[in-house]
Amino acid sequence: MDAVRVALLREVLAGTQWPAASRRFAETLRSSVVPHGGGLLLVGTEVYEPWHLAAHLVDESTWSGLRELTPTLVRHRVGPGDPAHLAVGLGRIETAGRGETLLVVAPQSPGGGLLERVHDARRAGATVLSLDNGDPEVRGLAHEALSVTDGEDVDLDTVQHLVSAAAGENGTPVPRGRRRFRDRLSRLADQLTAPPPARW
């Protein structure tokens, strides 16, 4: 979803909690994915794969210069011919630990196997975030959760658009030391001349 559509969506939802709530969640996401850390792992449920959110986060990562927002999509089923960026299975969550962020997208209750893996990742020091349907088990595992329950003004797909757009805003949310003017100018030039991100 492009910036114009996101702006229109925010305007439509202006009287609701969603624009501010999605920005708060996005700020938490940005601050949890530290540069040179273990990265961002993105996982859905067995019947819902958040590939659309993954693609949007790749876009936002590229345009904002926040490479750490580029997620690794963790899948429940990986085929032998899948390309490398779509060939990461649930075993990756088992190795997650300190310095890594695990974002769980659960429009319905996930199976016990996923919950156990998420629990183990949290115990190993990973930061757990969730976009969910209000499931108490998922929320209980998350350090930060944004829930969309039945009867809300929006659905979980809409909230994912708001969160991904907000995650890439304001370019440098975490100060990384003072940079010389020439370094900042060089970084801006690199961003402006970079090719568009690859599609999923």
Side-chain angles (χ1 to χ4, degrees), residues 127-192:
T127 299
V128 178
L129 308 176
S130 74
L131 292 170
D132 57 65
N133 69 342
D135 182 279
E137 288 188 282
V138 176
R139 288 185 63 86
L141 290 174
H143 292 93
E144 184 77 26
L146 182 56
S147 299
V148 182
T149 56
D150 290 338
E152 297 280 8
D153 305 316
V154 297
D155 59 16
L156 194 58
D157 284 338
T158 301
V159 170
Q160 289 178 66
H161 283 297
L162 292 171
V163 168
S164 63
E169 290 174 349
N170 302 326
T172 51
V174 181
R176 300 182 193 172
R178 295 179 62 91
R179 289 194 177 131
R180 294 188 341 224
F181 174 74
R182 189 177 299 213
D183 294 334
R184 290 190 308 242
L185 189 59
S186 173
R187 182 169 174 255
L188 177 61
D190 288 344
Q191 289 174 354
L192 293 175

Side-chain angles (χ1 to χ4, degrees), residues 10 17-27 146 159 162-163 166-167:
R10 286 175 176 159
Q17 66 165 325
W18 299 110
S22 60
R23 278 196 173 102
R24 279 193 304 272
F25 188 86
E27 286 168 10
L146 182 56
V159 170
L162 292 171
V163 168

Side-chain angles (χ1 to χ4, degrees), residues 26-41 66-70 99-102 127 129 174 176:
E27 286 168 10
T28 300
L29 174 62
R30 276 200 316 265
S31 64
S32 72
V33 288
V34 296
H36 313 299
L40 172 61
L41 303 175
L66 299 171
R67 301 284 183 212
E68 55 272 20
L69 277 178
T70 300
E100 294 183 290
T101 299
L102 176 59
T127 299
L129 308 176
V174 181
R176 300 182 193 172

